[in-house]
Amino acid sequence: METHLIVTKGAEMTLEQETDYTLEQLYALADEVHDNYNIGAGPASGSYRTMGMIVIPCSMKTLAGIVSGYSDNLVLRAADITLKERRKKISLPENGLSRYGNLSNNRCLCWQEYIMIIWKRNS
């Protein structure tokens, strides 16, 4: 399976703080890496055929952007296209689901039959 990677600034920080991987090692795992600031990259278009999208970890900011359609970067634009095209989407929200707004955003996505939300357990 061909994989494409888009890394946000927050994901870079999480990678550095919570794993032993470097950004270069993560890039090496993908077939293609897209710049998150390139809103015109392939994943921003419905004609760019994909099986779906996984957002991991999905920050509450990114989740809110997906729910509201606020597509100011490539991750959000690709998620918007994934929703529009009814492709599979899995997001693994990071900790912080206790606030009503965060739960409400998750509920909005769960109402979409083609969306699956998997919550990260707090250990």
Side-chain angles (χ1 to χ4, degrees):
M1 182 177 302
E2 187 173 311
T3 59
H4 292 245
L5 178 68
I6 308 165
V7 181
T8 64
K9 191 65 174 164
E12 284 182 30
M13 292 170 35
T14 300
L15 180 75
E16 180 180 298
Q17 294 171 2
E18 298 184 11
T19 76
D20 294 328
Y21 284 93
T22 65
L23 193 55
E24 291 73 28
Q25 289 171 317
L26 180 64
Y27 286 170
L29 297 173
D31 293 303
E32 190 169 342
V33 177
H34 302 277
D35 180 355
N36 190 41
Y37 299 104
N38 183 2
I39 198 77
S45 171
S47 62
Y48 191 83
R49 295 285 173 203
T50 66
M51 293 174 62
M53 182 174 182
I54 298 172
V55 181
I56 179 174
C58 185
S59 70
M60 295 301 101
K61 177 183 176 186
T62 298
L63 179 64
I66 292 169
V67 169
S68 68
Y70 182 70
S71 302
D72 71 339
N73 62 41
L74 185 56
V75 166
L76 293 174
R77 178 67 182 145
D80 196 39
I81 291 299
T82 300
L83 291 170
K84 179 181 81 75
E85 297 293 327
R86 294 183 176 257
R87 296 176 183 153
K88 291 180 178 19
K89 180 184 175 305
I90 300 172
S91 66
L92 287 108
E94 60 189 12
N95 296 334
L97 292 174
S98 58
R99 283 191 41 249
Y100 175 76
N102 297 339
L103 291 170
S104 179
N105 284 339
N106 274 286
R107 193 169 43 252
C108 286
L109 287 182
C110 287
W111 286 339
Q112 310 285 339
E113 65 187 57
Y114 46 91
I115 299 298
M116 181 191 330
I117 300 296
I118 302 171
W119 285 313
K120 181 177 173 184
R121 290 181 182 239
N122 295 329
S123 344

